[in-house]
């Protein structure tokens, strides 16, 4: 009985294992699939990132093109893979295949079309060239890729003369962060409002979206039923490499027709034109390139009337303002403009008020108006918007206010002094000379400086570079470089210090210091009969017996009896020179007497 139970149990276990082996792989493979490719048409003139949508994608999945090979693939999610189609791929229609690490595959036939924008370049490719030769190593294609996901308007239809807002949603289809995204708009019929046609979007993470808006005005002379708007999107990756994409946005236009003056069988319909003026700032400049706290400068603004009627009694208000005439129905009266409620935290008017009368602007007329300003000394470095309002009336005495915004950049540059911290005498040619150089922070805030280097057009320098670091207000940093000049005359030493400005741009502070180089002096040997040993140091005069006696006598009477090593013979007894005619006779010592 026990054996029968054992046989039955083994049979049941075998059936369960067999069922699991049969069901698991089929269910795992059945889930893998491809639903679409975006974009499905690419050009082989440049590399393009495509998004493959589907199901059951895993990390390590690989995208392959039929008759070409595998693409550089990155995993985004279980329903999306990103792949790089390299530049130079042969034109044609490709079947896209996804291969999972477990060897399961899914294909989509005729899913990707590759077109050639330069046919002559394709003809120069050798037929025997291997397609894989154009594929770069993995990782070289990783970059951000900005595309337009959707765009819409704040109203159902637009007509000539309408003001409306365009909403655009961008999508980052790449593998890296897209940073410093800036969208620039241009069109012959659509005029940007408020932003000047430039919108800073910011940054978008891989696989994320970002929506922004652009106010627009459609020209009243527009006759076509469709208008287009060019949008150029520039951005960088995390390493600072720049990219740019160009998009064309098409918008339908609802044309409003007015009936003819006379009723005929074939009336001529003419579109109604807008009677509203439109003042737009088309450009602006400053007479000072780099604005810093405390800088006085002049702002020049180029203004153009892009409407179809005359703007009368135009008043420009820097900082923003409004009309106090009481609405659009009456004629403006003197004192009907308010310019005292503007924003003057960072920029304040100088020499004149922030309100200027510019006269009349006929359609298409443009002029340049200037406004003296000063940067507040407490303004921190950064980009600051400045509002400018235009108050005017049209031919029907209706009052309008057009607000514009421009952006001014303020820097806080390091204020340093580079000099010698002690007097530098004339340098000698072909000899090592010390250069006592110092940099002093004369500003009111700390600065961070990079490498300080000393360079010269000729000669040799050593110990001539060092990292400075942070300098507090009034602090200093020294560098004792060694300079061996090889030419005579004046030499200009160039001292340069690297630093990063407030907008993360590399800058260099340069200062020139001049030194004089002279030849080595020649030391002449002493003259006048003095005796020396050839080293330039007088040698000691030989001492005779009479010298010794004389010193003994001088010592007995308490005078200086030291040995005289100089050349002077002052206060010395005469020295007799023995000769045959005049020998020196030394008297004999008397005999000692006994006791």
């Amino acid at each position: 009985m026990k054996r029968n139970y054992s046989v039955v149990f083994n049979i049941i276990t075998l059936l369960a294992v067999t069922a699991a082996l049969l069901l698991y792989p089929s269910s795992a493979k059945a889930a893998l699939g491809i639903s679409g490719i975006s974009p499905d048409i690419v050009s082989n003139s440049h590399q393009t990132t495509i998004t493959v949508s589907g199901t059951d994608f895993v990390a390590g999945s690989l995208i392959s093109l039929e008759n070409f090979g595998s693409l550089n693939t990155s995993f985004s999610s279980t329903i999306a893979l990103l792949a790089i189609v390299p530049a130079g791929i042969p034109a044609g229609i490709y079947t896209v295949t996804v291969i999972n690490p477990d060897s399961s595959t899914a294909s989509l036939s005729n899913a990707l079309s590759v077109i050639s924008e330069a046919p002559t370049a394709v003809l120069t490719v050798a037929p025997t060239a291997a397609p894989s030769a154009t594929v770069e190593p993995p990782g070289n294609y990783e970059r951000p890729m900005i595309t337009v996901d959707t765009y819409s308007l704040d109203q159902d239809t637009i007509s000539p003369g309408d003001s409306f807002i365009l909403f655009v949603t961008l999508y980052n289809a790449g593998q890296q962060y897209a940073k410093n995204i800036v969208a620039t708009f241009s069109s012959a019929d659509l005029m940007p409002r408020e932003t000047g046609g430039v919108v800073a979007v910011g940054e978008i993470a891989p696989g994320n979206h970002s929506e922004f808006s652009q106010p627009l005005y459609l020209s009243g002379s527009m006759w076509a039923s469709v208008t287009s708007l060019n949008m150029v999107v520039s951005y960088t990756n995390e390493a600072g490499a720049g990219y740019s994409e160009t998009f064309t946005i098409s918008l339908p236009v609802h044309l409003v027709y007015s009936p003819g003056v006379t009723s005929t069988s074939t009336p001529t319909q003419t579109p109604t034109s807008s009677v509203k003026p439109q003042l737009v700032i088309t450009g602006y400049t400053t007479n000072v390139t780099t604005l810093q706290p405390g800088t006085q400068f002049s702002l020049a603004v180029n203004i153009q009337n892009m409407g179809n009627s005359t703007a009368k009694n135009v008043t420009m208000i820097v900082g923003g303002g409004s009309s106090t005439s009481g609405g659009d129905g009456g004629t403006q009266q003197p004192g009907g403009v308010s310019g005292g409620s503007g924003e003057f935290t960072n920029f304040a008017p100088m020499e004149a008020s922030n309100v200027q009368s510019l006269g009349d602007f006929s359609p298409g007329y443009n002029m340049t108006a200037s406004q003296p300003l000063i940067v507040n000394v407490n303004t921190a470095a950064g980009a600051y918007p400045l509002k400018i309002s235009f108050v005017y009336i049209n031919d029907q005495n209706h009052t309008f206010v057009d607000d514009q915004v421009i952006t001014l950049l303020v820097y806080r540059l390091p204020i340093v002094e580079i000099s010698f911290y002690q007097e530098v005498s004339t340098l000698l040619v072909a000899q090592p000379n010390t250069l006592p150089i110092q940099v002093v922070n004369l500003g009111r805030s700390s600065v961070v400086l990079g490498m300080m280097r000393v360079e010269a057009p000729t000669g040799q320098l050593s110990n001539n570079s060092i990292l400075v670091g942070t300098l507090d207000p009034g602090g200093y940093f020294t560098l004792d470089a060694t300079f061996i000049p090889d030419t005579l005359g004046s030499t200009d030493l160039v001292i340069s210090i690297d630093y990063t400005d407030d907008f993360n741009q590399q800058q260099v502070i340069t200062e020139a210091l001049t030194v004089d180089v002279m030849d080595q002096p020649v030391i002449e040997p002493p003259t006048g009969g003095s005796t020396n040993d050839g080293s330039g140091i007088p040698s000691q005069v030989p001492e005779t017996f009479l010298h010794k006696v004389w010193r003994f006598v001088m010592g007995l009477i308490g005078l200086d009896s030291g040995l005289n090593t100089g050349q002077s013979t002052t206060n010395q007894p005469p020295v007799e020179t023995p000769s045959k005619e005049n020998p020196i006779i030394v008297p004999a010592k008397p005999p000692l007497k006994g006791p």
Side-chain angles (χ1 to χ4, degrees):
M1 181 65 67
K2 291 182 180 180
R3 185 173 181 177
N4 292 336
Y5 282 128
S6 177
V7 172
V8 173
F9 177 78
N10 291 336
I11 293 175
I12 294 175
T13 303
L14 180 61
L15 292 177
V17 171
T18 303
L21 292 175
L22 293 176
L23 293 176
Y24 175 75
S26 61
S27 60
K29 292 185 179 181
L32 179 63
I34 302 175
S35 59
I37 312 294
S38 177
D40 56 358
I41 301 177
V42 299
S43 171
N44 62 2
S45 62
H46 56 274
Q47 66 180 26
T48 306
T49 300
I50 62 174
T51 302
V52 177
S53 303
T55 57
D56 199 35
F57 297 152
V58 297
S61 296
L62 188 65
I63 297 177
S64 176
L65 299 182
E66 185 181 10
N67 299 326
F68 179 77
S70 300
L71 302 180
N72 184 23
T73 309
S74 60
F75 175 76
S76 177
S77 64
T78 57
I79 60 173
L81 295 175
L82 300 177
I84 301 294
V85 179
I89 181 174
I93 300 177
Y94 291 87
T95 296
V96 178
T97 301
V98 174
I99 305 173
N100 271 356
D102 61 356
S103 299
S104 60
T105 62
S107 299
L108 186 62
S109 301
N110 303 327
L112 180 65
S113 298
V114 178
I115 61 176
S116 175
E117 295 182 357
T120 56
V122 177
L123 294 177
T124 60
V125 179
T128 58
S132 60
T134 61
V135 180
E136 299 183 7
N140 290 351
Y141 295 113
E142 291 187 358
R143 54 157 287 188
M145 175 62 68
I146 297 299
T147 61
V148 174
D149 188 23
T150 60
Y151 60 89
S152 59
L153 304 178
D154 64 337
Q155 55 194 50
D156 295 336
T157 60
I158 58 174
S159 300
D162 283 354
S163 296
F164 58 95
I165 299 177
L166 171 68
F167 297 95
V168 180
T169 301
L170 300 179
Y171 173 69
N172 184 2
Q175 302 94 345
Q176 296 181 351
Y177 265 89
K179 295 180 173 292
N180 306 317
I181 304 174
V182 177
T184 305
F185 295 89
S186 61
S187 175
D189 302 314
L190 292 168
M191 288 159 285
R193 298 184 297 113
E194 298 182 8
T195 64
V198 179
V199 179
V201 181
E203 64 180 38
I204 305 177
N208 286 11
H209 298 77
S210 179
E211 184 184 63
F212 65 96
S213 62
Q214 170 61 60
L216 297 170
Y217 169 77
L218 180 60
S219 174
S221 60
M222 179 69 188
W223 285 69
S225 59
V226 176
T227 184
S228 60
L229 177 68
N230 292 329
M231 182 180 68
V232 179
V233 178
S234 60
Y235 54 97
T236 64
N237 62 5
E238 294 177 309
Y243 303 94
S244 179
E245 314 292 344
T246 302
F247 305 95
T248 300
I249 298 176
S250 299
L251 301 175
V253 178
H254 176 66
L255 298 178
V256 179
Y257 297 96
S258 60
V261 177
T262 59
S263 178
T264 61
S265 57
T266 56
T268 302
Q269 295 179 333
T270 58
T272 59
S273 61
S274 173
V275 296
K276 179 183 181 298
Q278 183 71 42
L279 297 185
V280 177
I281 296 177
T282 58
Y284 59 94
T285 58
T286 59
N287 63 338
V288 178
T289 304
T290 304
L291 300 181
Q292 301 184 67
T295 301
Q296 298 184 23
F297 65 100
S298 178
L299 173 65
V301 181
N302 189 32
I303 311 157
Q304 183 176 2
N305 182 7
M306 293 186 175
N308 294 324
S309 62
T310 302
K312 296 183 178 181
N313 303 330
V314 177
T315 301
M316 182 180 72
I317 309 173
V318 177
S322 61
S323 171
T324 59
S325 60
D328 295 343
T331 304
Q332 279 188 319
Q333 302 296 325
V337 174
S338 174
S341 59
E343 173 60 38
F344 306 106
T345 303
N346 301 306
F347 305 99
M350 291 283 294
E351 300 176 2
S353 72
N354 64 320
V355 179
Q356 295 188 40
S357 178
L358 305 181
D360 297 343
F361 279 68
S362 58
Y365 176 74
N366 68 85
M367 69 170 295
T368 301
S370 62
Q371 173 66 52
L373 297 170
I374 184 173
V375 184
N376 193 329
V377 294
N378 297 323
T379 300
Y384 294 96
L386 178 63
K387 183 178 180 180
I388 299 178
S389 301
F390 298 99
V391 180
Y392 56 90
I393 60 175
N394 63 359
D395 294 331
Q396 289 76 33
N397 290 330
H398 293 169
T399 303
F400 297 92
V401 179
D402 289 340
D403 293 327
Q404 312 276 313
V405 175
I406 63 175
T407 302
L408 298 177
L409 303 181
V410 177
Y411 295 80
R412 274 193 177 267
L413 302 181
I415 303 176
V416 298
E417 180 187 60
I418 303 174
S419 61
F420 293 121
Y421 63 82
Q422 66 183 24
E423 184 179 356
V424 177
S425 59
T426 303
L427 307 184
L428 298 180
V429 68
Q431 292 293 323
N433 302 271
T434 301
L435 302 175
I437 301 172
Q438 74 173 358
V439 53
V440 182
N441 180 14
L442 302 180
R444 298 189 299 173
S445 59
S446 299
V447 296
V448 179
L449 303 178
M451 293 297 297
M452 179 168 66
R453 294 178 294 272
V454 183
E455 299 175 341
T458 59
Q460 301 178 11
L461 285 163
S462 61
N463 189 33
N464 60 325
S465 64
I466 193 171
L467 180 64
V468 179
T470 303
L471 282 184
D472 294 329
Y476 63 91
F477 188 89
T478 61
L479 170 64
D480 294 327
T482 302
F483 178 43
I484 304 178
D486 54 13
T487 58
L488 301 178
S490 298
T491 300
D492 290 333
L493 303 173
V494 179
I495 295 90
S496 59
I497 304 176
D498 300 333
Y499 74 97
T500 303
D501 65 16
D502 301 295
F503 295 91
N504 293 325
Q505 303 298 316
Q506 296 295 323
Q507 305 292 345
V508 180
I509 301 173
T510 304
E511 183 71 28
L513 301 177
T514 303
V515 295
D516 294 326
V517 181
M518 64 175 292
D519 202 356
Q520 300 184 37
V522 178
I523 302 176
E524 298 292 342
T527 59
S530 61
T531 304
N532 59 62
D533 56 2
S535 64
I537 302 175
S539 61
Q540 181 176 341
V541 178
E543 187 178 24
T544 64
F545 175 76
L546 292 180
H547 284 110
K548 295 179 180 179
V549 174
W550 178 256
R551 290 196 302 108
F552 176 75
V553 174
M554 296 292 287
L556 289 178
I557 63 176
L559 299 178
D560 185 12
S561 62
L563 180 63
N564 186 6
T565 60
Q567 298 180 7
S568 175
T569 57
T570 306
N571 298 327
Q572 293 184 2
V575 180
E576 295 184 11
T577 304
S579 63
K580 291 181 180 182
E581 293 78 6
N582 187 20
I584 298 176
I585 300 175
V586 179
K589 296 182 179 180
L592 299 174
K593 295 181 180 182

